[in-house]
Amino acid sequence: MTPERRKAVWAIYVWCRRTDELVDGPNASYITPKALDRWEKRLEDLFEGRPYDMYDAALSDTASKFPIDIQPFRDMIEGMRLDLWKSRYRTFDELYLYCYYVAGTVGLMTVPVMGIAPDSKASAESVYNAALALGIANQLTNILRDVGEDSRRGRIYLPLDELAQAGLTEEDIFRGKVTDKWRRFMKGQIQRARLFFDEAEKGVMHLDSASRWPVLASLWLYRQILDAIEANDYNNFTKRAYVGKAKKFLSLPAAYARAALSP
């Protein structure tokens, strides 16, 4: 990316990371809804040019240079509020909304920084929809990778109605045993995540040429986590799926070549 875009994406990342740490970090047990209300007030202040610290100042500077909207940032805080009290999701629609709050928002935050290619014939709406799909795909992948880790914290981020249709229960998740039912269920979940990645990939080619490679490379690398879950025979209870460094490096030239094409 251009240096200015790189700094802007860093500022957005840092804010998102700090927001996530509020409910997932070492002090998470002390976080209350009022603490998140105060964090949202800080967000509003920095967007109005009144940052609280140097990290807020970085995002405040970004907001002054790029046409980013405050709403996706507010929505991410709403996702953190959900994490304070909600640990089950009855349907995929419920889970989709959560994924939007905590990850789809990142796509909407960053498109104004990435920029849309001047020669693109795609509508801005379709590019934003693709960015949203990438956030959803990434979060669904996180969820499928971290089933065991989340269950040990008492959380299940899988649609309960789809678990029931597959003949599975919450107890099966906590037991953490890979069965044929679990494999069939996981195949369907992975297929859905891949569909979101496919939708996202169509939009990447309409980003500004300087932004395509990093976004496409990250999409390809993250999608490979799904391959790793399959390679682990769908054991996401006790094995963590990850993409090795060699595979990552091998993906970069191919992503570069693809990103170099016109939209």
Side-chain angles (χ1 to χ4, degrees), residues 230-247:
E230 291 171 334
N232 286 341
D233 193 30
Y234 306 99
N235 181 3
N236 41 10
F237 298 116
T238 58
K239 287 185 179 179
R240 186 174 174 87
Y242 68 95
V243 182
K245 279 188 181 176
K247 270 192 174 181

Side-chain angles (χ1 to χ4, degrees), residues 90 136 157 167 186 188 260:
R90 288 177 302 135
I136 301 292
Y157 291 104
M186 281 302 302

Side-chain angles (χ1 to χ4, degrees), residues 15-213:
W15 185 87
C16 292
R17 183 62 184 261
R18 293 173 93 195
T19 303
D20 184 62
E21 286 288 305
L22 291 174
V23 296
D24 270 345
N27 298 316
S29 57
Y30 303 106
I31 295 297
T32 64
K34 280 192 175 177
L36 291 176
D37 291 344
R38 288 194 297 272
W39 187 248
E40 187 164 3
K41 179 65 172 69
R42 269 182 66 165
L43 172 71
E44 290 163 0
D45 286 346
L46 74 84
F47 262 82
E48 288 168 11
R50 298 192 303 276
Y52 182 80
D53 61 17
M54 63 180 182
Y55 298 115
D56 283 357
L59 185 57
S60 189
D61 178 65
T62 298
S64 72
K65 290 176 178 171
F66 295 92
I68 59 174
D69 183 35
I70 194 173
Q71 192 57 47
F73 294 84
R74 284 194 178 118
D75 288 345
M76 179 172 277
I77 296 172
E78 194 59 37
M80 302 305 118
R81 289 191 179 101
L82 275 180
D83 264 338
L84 290 182
W85 64 272
K86 193 172 175 69
S87 60
R88 301 289 188 280
Y89 292 84
R90 288 177 302 135
T91 64
F92 181 71
D93 284 348
E94 276 190 19
L95 184 64
Y96 179 91
L97 184 59
Y98 171 75
C99 290
Y100 161 70
Y101 282 144
V102 301
T105 48
V106 180
L108 305 187
M109 294 170 190
T110 52
V111 168
V113 174
M114 305 292 182
I116 297 173
D119 56 340
S120 169
K121 293 181 174 60
S123 66
E125 183 182 6
S126 70
V127 177
Y128 274 89
N129 283 340
L132 172 59
L134 181 54
I136 301 292
N138 285 344
Q139 186 61 25
L140 289 175
T141 301
N142 285 343
I143 286 167
L144 299 178
R145 180 194 63 195
D146 297 341
V147 169
E149 184 182 320
D150 288 333
S151 70
R152 288 187 283 278
R153 296 161 59 207
R155 296 176 178 275
I156 297 176
Y157 291 104
L158 298 165
L160 296 181
D161 62 341
E162 294 180 16
L163 276 173
Q165 286 162 17
L168 295 161
T169 65
E170 291 185 24
E171 286 68 36
D172 291 317
I173 305 293
F174 294 126
R175 201 175 296 124
K177 190 175 179 185
V178 178
T179 62
D180 286 341
K181 282 182 183 177
W182 178 252
R183 291 184 186 95
R184 281 194 296 273
F185 173 75
M186 281 302 302
K187 283 176 185 175
Q189 300 299 308
I190 287 172
Q191 182 181 21
R192 176 159 55 204
R194 284 189 174 128
L195 289 174
F196 279 101
F197 277 121
D198 291 347
E199 186 181 340
E201 191 167 352
K202 293 172 194 168
V204 173
M205 299 310 294
H206 294 282
L207 293 175
D208 188 88
S209 58
S211 302
R212 275 180 223 150
W213 184 31

